[in-house]
Amino acid sequence: IDTLMFFDGVEKEAVDAPWGGRFGLEPPMAKNSLLAAQSTSPRICIGNQAAPEIRCFGPDTTRIVIRWQAEAAPIEDVEITQWRDTIANVFAGKVSESAVLEMLDQVSVPEVRPYFTRLVLDAVGNLWVEQRSVVWAKPTETDFLVFDTEGLLLGTVTLPPIHVLGIGEDYVLGIYRDDMDVEYLRLHALLKP
């Protein structure tokens, strides 16, 4: 047993709370460290959303650093508005609306969104890096960068709007939500070149 690395938790800012003292509040599109592990794959992959870089560790102390070229995408005004509305709803009925807005005004809004939103290891050990650019909106499709066990880019796979539960050699399993927020389990064939 050994320490793999030290990595950051979710990004937060300390604000003056209306009930006194300081309170940690996540900014819109708060960056976090994400981890992927799979019972059929003897490795763990860890990445911080602040950079297009992921580190993977194998059982034999193998360490691979995966980096890719990516442009930092700006956060849109509508996403900031949705973030403010979401936080205001959390505190609704607990403190006054003006106190919540005063708290929100103390948070620095980041200029760019995270470089990736999720990491998944498939059944054969390939790393899938979710490239969803809009977190607040309901996605129509989601792009994943797929890297092999050596860190080489295999390609980009566009998936339908599902929350991925698992990826096998020839399938992707996930949950689809319709317009009424009813969940359906969906299995999609994965055709490789």
Side-chain angles (χ1 to χ4, degrees):
I1 296 175
D2 195 7
T3 301
L4 296 177
M5 65 183 281
F6 293 98
F7 50 95
D8 299 328
V10 68
E11 179 181 21
K12 289 189 178 185
E13 282 197 33
V15 298
D16 294 323
W19 52 84
R22 304 286 278 166
F23 179 71
L25 198 58
E26 293 179 20
M29 305 280 178
K31 294 167 187 69
N32 196 1
S33 292
L34 303 181
L35 177 120
Q38 166 64 267
S39 60
T40 59
S41 173
R43 68 186 196 140
I44 291 174
C45 295
I46 303 168
N48 186 299
Q49 293 174 300
E53 177 179 297
I54 295 162
R55 296 177 186 275
C56 295
F57 303 89
D60 57 353
T61 68
T62 306
R63 294 173 187 237
I64 296 174
V65 178
I66 299 171
R67 293 183 183 101
W68 63 96
Q69 294 288 355
E71 298 255 343
I75 296 177
E76 298 176 17
D77 291 340
V78 66
E79 294 167 316
I80 296 167
T81 301
Q82 290 171 328
W83 166 77
R84 290 177 72 88
D85 292 345
T86 300
I87 301 297
N89 286 338
V90 168
F91 288 102
K94 298 173 185 152
V95 294
S96 70
E97 184 179 347
S98 62
V100 173
L101 295 177
E102 200 174 292
M103 212 169 41
L104 292 175
D105 288 340
Q106 297 175 55
V107 177
S108 304
V109 177
E111 294 181 12
V112 295
R113 68 182 72 249
Y115 282 96
F116 55 93
T117 54
R118 189 158 181 232
L119 303 177
V120 179
L121 281 170
D122 68 15
V124 295
N126 296 325
L127 176 66
W128 293 57
V129 180
E130 187 174 25
Q131 297 294 293
R132 184 181 301 149
S133 60
V134 179
V135 177
W136 294 97
K138 187 171 184 175
T140 54
E141 293 179 332
T142 303
D143 287 336
F144 282 83
L145 296 175
V146 183
F147 297 92
D148 70 7
T149 56
E150 301 299 315
L152 298 174
L153 179 65
L154 297 175
T156 302
V157 177
T158 302
L159 294 181
I162 61 173
H163 174 75
V164 175
L165 297 176
I167 302 172
E169 287 189 53
D170 60 354
Y171 70 87
V172 176
L173 179 67
I175 296 174
Y176 168 78
R177 260 181 219 234
D178 66 14
D179 293 335
M180 304 287 286
D181 274 345
V182 177
E183 294 181 348
Y184 299 90
L185 191 61
R186 291 222 172 140
L187 184 68
H188 295 273
L190 183 59
L191 306 176
K192 296 180 181 178

